[in-house]
Amino acid sequence: MNNRFFSSLALRNIKSNKQLYIPFLLSSTAIIAMFFLMVSLMTNKFVQERSSSLPTLFMIGVVVIGIFSVIFILYTNSFLIKRRKKEIGLYGILGLEKKHVAKILFFESLFSSLLSIAAGLLAGLLFGRLVFMLLNFMLRMPNDIAYTTSLLSVGATVALFVLIFGITLLYNISQFTFANPIKLLKGKQEGEKEPKGSLILFILSLIFLGWGYAISITIPDPLAAIEKFFLAVLLVIIGTYLLFISGSIFILKALKNNKRIYYRSGAFISISGMLYRMKQNAVGLANICILASMVIIAVSTTITIYLGSEETLENRFPYEHNLKLFGDMDYVAEMNNRFFELQDEVIELTEENGLEVAEMESYRYESFFGNLEDGSFVFEQSSVDGDLPVLMMVIPLQDFNGMTGENYSLADDEALFYHSTKTYLKEDLSIGNKTYSLTEIENEFSADMALTESIALVVPDEAHLLDLREDYMGQFPESTHITVDAEIGWNTEGTEAAEKALAEQLESEYNGVSGSFSRYESRDSQREEWYSINGGFLFLGVFLGLLFTLGTLLITYFKQISEGFDDRGKFQIMQKVGLDENMIKDSTKSQIIWMFILPIVIATIHVSFAYPIVRKLLLIFGVTNDMTWLMTFIAVVIAFAGIYWMIYRVTSKVYYSIVK
Amino acid sequence: MTLLEIKNLKKIYTARFSNQQTEALAAVNFSVEEGEFVSIMGESGSGKTTLLNIISTLDDASSGEVYLDGNPLSKIKDKEISAFRRNTLGFVFQDFNLLDNFTIKDNILLPLVLSKTPIEEMESRLPPIVRNLGIEAHINKFPYEVSGGQKQRVAVARALITKPKIILADEPTGALDSKASQNLMEILKGINETGQTILMVTHSIRAASFSKRVLFIRDGAVYHEIYRGEQPADEFMDRISDSLKVLSTRGEQDE
């Protein structure tokens, strides 16, 4: 018997098991396309260039989808092979040796994996192109974001799925090698056994979930959030699978033991059905739950970033016109004169353009890196290796009072103190050769200060700035960049044309002149750029949301179809002993609480616990408004629940039409 | 009292894409008294199963009528047909038709659950039935964990639990070995002796010999019938087999 024979037999098997293979191939194709899209996105130009944290986040996405693919394909495969045990057991009885059966299985895997990988790559390419075109059009992106893919992403996708299909093949062969034909003939009838140690699994799931949640709740700052986000996601995913596997069996058994609930026609049929394939049921629900969480997080965060664009702009550019003055190493004293001169200069320029200065803020400051150690701030070179040092901004009192409108006065050994993490509780702080007694204030400075652990210190006058600089230079003589810098920001009132003219004039005056130590930025000219970046995020978010929703649709569809074919025989028997159509509807209805409510509720809990860590991540993108995120979050949860409800309704109709 | 009356029952199958018609039942007439145990015998294709399906309301007749307790089955509304099947008829099938996702106990209770019977009622009906059928020890097992004979006894229990007017059995011993068959038939006979009406379709002469009356059906019509009377089982078996022989030889002469 040669390979041709086995390959044609394998092909015929696939054809004659159409009912099983079509949903299997469809959902494998979808998951391969999904992974391929995700890998392609990771290497996308926009993702790579726009923000340093995006590639990391997409890397997480790729790994999550990768894990998801492994679980999903193993799960659908085990479902498929269980249904075919009888057929393959028959081969053994008809006299085929085990190696022959293995050959048939090999060809079957070969054909189905070739087909689904090819179709998945093609579908991914088409879907990516089309949806990118559509989104570019719908979101009116100023610069189109191109969908690109590379041989590398194709290679990665092919490699992963060849591996996964290889594993399923080994699993299938082992199923038939270690079982006797009679057992195989009966394979389909046996219900799934409860996994051993389900109580331990349940406890483990709580530990994983709790650990993941704890990481999110206790995350100190955004940079740690990027680092730990992946671990937290991974823990929650593992926890979710374990929770659904152990928890759902737990609940189902409890329901079964409650006679008043169990012995009612709808519950009777659906509970026993779910217990019959408990693991499969649990994995399916966990898949849906994880996808739902990903949709909600991806869409709600990117919408928040987009909606928060204006706020981000205001954080980054507190005034319509912003002029930054860089201090000169060698002429620190001249800086002060320049600082006051410039203020007069820009007021003059503004008025020349027919505008009125509505508000103005200006301050000088000095930044140091260092660490808080037992009542003193120890300077450090501002190197970025190792643990991130604490950033300290030192501001003279005069400027602070000027910018806040407060009227503080400080003795020579007193200072105002703001600490982003509020973990420094001592009354005094030594820095350089000085010790200040501290008065705590709130963050009156940039919102960026919350990004990493930062300190603002308001000292009595600018002489203190120079002293501190001297102390620092004494410690690190080669250091070149400790200078007193200054910010001048102002708003103007007048016509739009005049505003524009002013912005252009300021830009040519202060920017791009070599040797100048200032930089001018207008909020209006930054706005467009900012919106296109944030529009890009929204784009990715909507794309991912769409992708994951489609995944949810396919998984729900696969679940309903495969269970429908599984249950058809049972419903026929039950109809013979007097089951009517209303009762079939009843039993499908009583699955709603499982199929619909459970995944959505758990996903919502996941996302709620993800709130602290996601909030920290949002800070990186300049979003500080909690309300925006909360409202979008609620809206997205409701919208997704609505979409999933439709998916559920449609697929359960499919189920109903199969079993009826 | 006549429980079941079949009058001029006809069933004609028409192929979907042609006008060719197959007559499964030509004109069937017979009746079953309350408390009777009637077997219907005939060769494959004689129309036995079609007849049983029409009595079971699983299939419609082309013409003629089946009366149960004097009420025509064709007048039962579609909505009530499942409830009717559940409450008035008990089924035993050749291939058991037990559900693998239910324990033995739940398989037996299934029709009651479908009828929304109170749990107390269900639990009081179960023990005597499983005790009589000798499956008491297995009620928490699943169907794939017990033998064929036990499965069929579970099916009988499921048929009995609704206290049906009539039990319809389709080749109940068809998938059982001789010992299990013998055991099952003794059980059915015992059930009949408590007053339960049973109508059984079978191939097996031995199985038929447990009933009180045997109807022979051929080419869609009742051809002959014999009563057991006070005869012992062995003699009745001989008579059945003689009748079958006559039936088949005449059939060949006809052709």
Side-chain angles (χ1 to χ4, degrees):
Chain A
M1 284 191 273
N2 58 18
N3 286 341
R4 251 186 97 114
F5 168 76
F6 287 117
S7 63
S8 66
L9 190 60
L11 211 57
R12 220 178 47 215
N13 281 347
I14 294 177
K15 274 190 203 149
S16 57
N17 281 300
K18 255 190 300 204
Q19 262 181 4
L20 295 171
Y21 265 100
I22 287 176
F24 175 72
L25 290 176
L26 266 181
S27 44
S28 309
T29 301
I31 200 104
I32 292 167
M34 210 157 153
F35 182 81
F36 178 50
L37 281 165
M38 207 67 190
V39 179
S40 299
L41 280 184
M42 191 179 72
T43 55
N44 188 288
K45 200 164 153 259
F46 179 86
V47 173
Q48 287 290 335
E49 290 175 1
R50 280 309 178 174
S51 161
S52 58
S53 48
L54 266 188
T56 322
L57 291 177
F58 270 86
M59 185 69 208
I60 295 174
V62 168
V63 174
V64 169
I65 300 275
I67 295 171
F68 190 78
S69 309
V70 175
I71 293 172
F72 183 74
I73 292 189
L74 290 182
Y75 148 78
T76 44
N77 170 71
S78 71
F79 187 85
L80 180 84
I81 212 70
K82 193 174 168 218
R83 230 128 307 251
R84 297 192 49 211
K85 275 188 176 170
K86 188 171 182 177
E87 171 195 342
I88 290 167
L90 211 56
Y91 287 135
I93 289 169
L94 293 176
L96 263 74
E97 286 171 38
K98 284 191 168 149
K99 69 173 185 205
H100 296 147
V101 176
K103 259 188 186 171
I104 296 174
L105 289 174
F106 168 76
F107 280 111
E108 283 174 11
S109 289
L110 184 72
F111 294 143
S112 55
S113 60
L114 275 182
L115 189 66
S116 48
I117 290 176
L121 292 177
L122 193 69
L125 199 67
L126 283 178
F127 182 82
R129 283 270 158 81
L130 274 176
V131 176
F132 265 59
M133 256 164 62
L134 191 72
L135 287 181
N136 274 321
F137 174 72
M138 276 177 26
L139 298 178
R140 295 199 183 81
M141 302 296 294
N143 306 307
D144 278 5
I145 299 177
Y147 178 75
T148 51
T149 189
S150 59
L151 272 178
L152 189 75
S153 21
V154 174
T157 311
V158 172
L160 176 73
F161 286 92
V162 166
L163 190 73
I164 296 177
F165 283 112
I167 296 172
T168 62
L169 175 64
L170 288 181
Y171 170 82
N172 294 348
I173 292 176
S174 75
Q175 286 287 300
F176 294 106
T177 314
F178 300 120
N180 66 38
I182 297 299
K183 213 165 165 172
L184 287 176
L185 287 179
K186 286 190 174 177
K188 201 179 136 189
Q189 301 168 350
E190 260 174 67
E192 286 180 9
K193 296 273 178 328
E194 186 186 354
K196 285 195 187 76
S198 59
L199 188 66
I200 297 171
L201 287 185
F202 184 67
I203 294 168
L204 268 178
S205 80
L206 293 186
I207 292 173
F208 278 117
L209 285 179
W211 187 2
Y213 288 170
I215 288 179
S216 169
I217 292 170
T218 59
I219 208 80
D221 56 65
L223 292 159
I226 288 203
E227 252 170 63
K228 294 277 181 68
F229 189 58
F230 181 47
L231 180 65
V233 168
L234 210 62
L235 287 169
V236 170
I237 288 181
I238 298 172
T240 306
Y241 281 112
L242 293 178
L243 178 72
F244 272 96
I245 289 173
S246 58
S248 70
I249 293 169
F250 209 58
I251 297 172
L252 284 171
K253 288 181 81 179
L255 285 177
K256 190 179 170 178
N257 288 333
N258 185 328
K259 287 176 185 164
R260 305 233 166 260
I261 294 175
Y262 181 57
Y263 286 107
R264 279 189 318 202
S265 56
F268 189 62
I269 296 168
S270 60
I271 292 177
S272 70
M274 280 187 279
L275 268 175
Y276 182 64
R277 42 168 177 256
M278 46 184 133
K279 279 182 252 177
Q280 187 197 321
N281 188 55
V283 172
L285 290 179
N287 283 340
I288 292 169
C289 175
I290 289 166
L291 279 179
S293 314
M294 293 204 282
V295 173
I296 294 169
I297 289 200
V299 177
S300 66
T301 49
T302 49
I303 290 181
T304 307
I305 290 176
Y306 188 74
L307 291 180
S309 296
E310 201 56 40
E311 178 204 351
T312 314
L313 271 172
E314 266 169 43
N315 282 335
R316 193 124 322 165
F317 310 104
Y319 290 89
E320 283 170 32
H321 306 277
N322 303 276
L323 188 61
K324 183 165 180 170
L325 189 60
F326 299 97
D328 191 323
M329 277 295 284
D330 300 319
Y331 308 99
V332 175
E334 279 179 24
M335 155 79 195
N336 281 328
N337 301 330
R338 183 88 183 111
F339 176 60
F340 293 112
E341 271 173 36
L342 260 181
Q343 293 183 41
D344 295 337
E345 243 178 80
V346 295
I347 292 174
E348 207 173 297
L349 270 175
T350 309
E351 279 164 0
E352 265 174 34
N353 275 279
L355 296 162
E356 225 175 285
V357 178
E359 256 182 294
M360 188 158 191
E361 175 187 290
S362 57
Y363 61 93
R364 290 158 289 174
Y365 65 95
E366 205 172 27
S367 322
F368 297 105
F369 287 105
N371 280 308
L372 284 169
E373 279 169 26
D374 191 35
S376 61
F377 185 83
V378 181
F379 293 133
E380 234 182 61
Q381 289 270 44
S382 58
S383 61
V384 208
D385 48 281
D387 280 343
L388 219 77
V390 180
L391 174 71
M392 176 183 268
M393 195 166 106
V394 187
I395 300 166
L397 177 66
Q398 184 196 354
D399 297 15
F400 179 76
N401 278 340
M403 71 188 260
T404 55
E406 302 278 354
N407 207 359
Y408 285 102
S409 62
L410 294 170
D412 200 47
D413 60 347
E414 285 178 334
L416 303 177
F417 179 79
Y418 162 75
H419 188 201
S420 64
T421 56
K422 303 209 189 296
T423 45
Y424 186 79
L425 303 170
K426 290 204 167 64
E427 304 258 301
D428 298 306
L429 178 71
S430 301
I431 169 165
N433 298 326
K434 284 208 158 63
T435 302
Y436 295 102
S437 86
L438 305 175
T439 309
E440 204 182 320
I441 52 169
E442 284 306 306
N443 184 8
E444 304 277 3
F445 317 92
S446 144
D448 286 357
M449 291 201 76
L451 274 179
T452 52
E453 188 179 352
S454 335
I455 292 170
L457 194 71
V458 181
V459 292
D461 57 47
E462 57 265 32
H464 286 253
L465 266 64
L466 299 182
D467 290 348
L468 286 175
R469 178 171 175 270
E470 217 117 289
D471 291 339
Y472 183 88
M473 293 303 283
Q475 208 174 329
F476 302 106
E478 324 79 61
S479 181
T480 53
H481 47 262
I482 298 298
T483 60
V484 179
D485 302 324
E487 297 264 7
I488 304 170
W490 70 104
N491 290 339
T492 53
E493 269 168 20
T495 61
E496 225 170 280
E499 297 253 9
K500 206 157 195 175
L502 174 66
E504 273 163 20
Q505 194 183 352
L506 286 165
E507 214 155 301
S508 63
E509 196 105 343
Y510 297 106
N511 291 2
V513 184
S514 62
S516 97
F517 288 97
S518 53
R519 194 181 75 229
Y520 166 76
E521 282 171 323
S522 139
R523 194 199 288 159
D524 277 332
S525 66
Q526 292 292 324
R527 179 171 283 122
E528 194 176 332
E529 168 127 3
W530 215 254
Y531 266 93
S532 89
I533 295 177
N534 288 352
F537 291 142
L538 180 64
F539 181 101
L540 290 177
V542 172
F543 180 79
L544 290 181
L546 217 61
L547 190 65
F548 296 148
T549 308
L550 213 65
T552 314
L553 171 72
L554 272 156
I555 286 179
T556 320
Y557 174 76
F558 179 82
K559 191 168 150 57
Q560 298 275 29
I561 285 248
S562 49
E563 291 181 2
F565 286 119
D566 207 18
D567 290 347
R568 185 151 74 172
K570 288 179 201 147
F571 277 98
Q572 277 164 359
I573 293 177
M574 286 191 275
Q575 274 172 315
K576 278 186 191 165
V577 294
L579 176 80
D580 56 42
E581 289 193 4
N582 284 335
M583 284 177 183
I584 302 183
K585 279 195 189 129
D586 262 9
S587 92
T588 46
K589 248 183 227 152
S590 73
Q591 284 188 338
I592 287 179
I593 195 153
W594 289 90
M595 281 291 294
F596 179 72
I597 295 175
L598 208 62
I600 288 279
V601 166
I602 306 248
T604 310
I605 295 173
H606 282 349
V607 180
S608 308
F609 273 103
Y611 173 71
I613 201 166
V614 171
R615 204 182 81 100
K616 289 286 188 325
L617 286 173
L618 283 175
L619 280 177
I620 297 176
F621 298 102
V623 178
T624 47
N625 190 334
D626 290 349
M627 249 349 247
T628 325
W629 148 244
L630 197 67
M631 297 312 286
T632 14
F633 168 56
I634 292 170
V636 170
V637 168
I638 292 172
F640 183 75
I643 292 172
Y644 182 54
W645 173 249
M646 285 192 287
I647 293 177
Y648 173 76
R649 291 301 301 173
V650 171
T651 53
S652 64
K653 282 218 176 76
V654 174
Y655 174 86
Y656 178 71
S657 69
I658 293 172
V659 298
K660 192 184 72 176
Chain B
M1 203 189 112
T2 304
L3 180 69
L4 183 73
E5 192 169 13
I6 283 130
K7 274 191 178 160
N8 262 329
L9 202 64
K10 244 183 204 177
K11 177 72 187 178
I12 294 165
Y13 290 106
T14 312
R16 203 185 298 180
F17 297 114
S18 77
N19 288 326
Q20 195 172 354
Q21 295 187 330
T22 320
E23 197 181 50
L25 296 177
V28 178
N29 284 292
F30 71 92
S31 60
V32 178
E33 298 296 307
E34 208 173 326
E36 255 198 312
F37 184 175
V38 178
S39 290
I40 299 176
M41 294 196 78
E43 291 181 354
S44 302
S46 59
K48 297 177 308 237
T49 303
T50 308
L51 176 63
L52 199 68
N53 280 345
I54 293 172
I55 299 172
S56 315
T57 68
L58 294 170
D59 203 347
D60 295 319
S62 304
S63 71
E65 188 60 89
V66 177
Y67 298 91
L68 190 75
D69 258 350
N71 304 315
L73 294 190
S74 62
K75 293 287 175 302
I76 301 173
K77 290 184 194 117
D78 271 358
K79 270 188 180 170
E80 294 158 4
I81 204 102
S82 297
F84 167 79
R85 212 177 285 151
R86 231 164 33 221
N87 299 327
T88 359
L89 307 175
F91 295 97
V92 180
F93 304 94
Q94 175 173 5
D95 49 1
F96 322 130
N97 276 345
L98 298 179
L99 294 161
D100 288 316
N101 54 330
F102 289 120
T103 57
I104 301 290
K105 175 183 169 188
D106 292 346
N107 263 295
I108 298 172
L109 293 180
L110 177 67
L112 293 185
V113 175
L114 296 180
S115 306
K116 302 189 166 72
T117 313
I119 179 79
E120 295 78 16
E121 173 73 19
M122 290 195 246
E123 292 200 317
S124 68
R125 283 200 206 176
L126 186 70
I129 291 178
V130 293
R131 207 177 306 127
N132 284 340
L133 292 168
I135 45 176
E136 231 176 340
H138 307 299
I139 60 167
N140 288 319
K141 288 185 182 165
F142 284 90
Y144 50 83
E145 293 171 316
V146 299
S147 73
Q150 285 162 340
K151 275 189 214 176
Q152 198 60 299
R153 276 182 272 155
V154 173
V156 172
R158 182 178 63 188
L160 281 175
I161 198 138
T162 56
K163 301 183 177 158
K165 291 216 166 99
I166 185 164
I167 286 191
L168 301 169
D170 184 7
E171 300 274 13
T173 58
L176 302 180
D177 61 62
S178 62
K179 208 177 143 208
S181 298
Q182 177 81 19
N183 178 293
L184 180 77
M185 289 319 297
E186 272 161 14
I187 283 170
L188 285 181
K189 191 170 172 238
I191 291 167
N192 173 246
E193 276 158 11
T194 65
Q196 175 70 57
T197 317
I198 300 176
L199 179 66
M200 173 175 82
V201 162
T202 187
H203 257 113
S204 155
I205 299 167
R206 176 167 284 278
S209 71
F210 283 86
S211 54
K212 289 181 178 164
R213 177 158 63 116
V214 181
L215 292 171
F216 297 92
I217 188 167
R218 223 195 85 151
D219 297 334
V222 177
Y223 195 83
H224 183 52
E225 67 176 334
I226 52 174
Y227 283 87
R228 178 173 167 183
E230 296 303 312
Q231 252 175 337
D234 286 349
E235 281 174 34
F236 191 44
M237 252 176 87
D238 289 340
R239 274 180 66 207
I240 296 171
S241 103
D242 288 343
S243 302
L244 278 175
K245 218 180 287 168
V246 172
L247 204 66
S248 59
T249 33
R250 277 201 205 156
E252 274 152 27
Q253 283 166 358
D254 282 352
E255 279 154 22

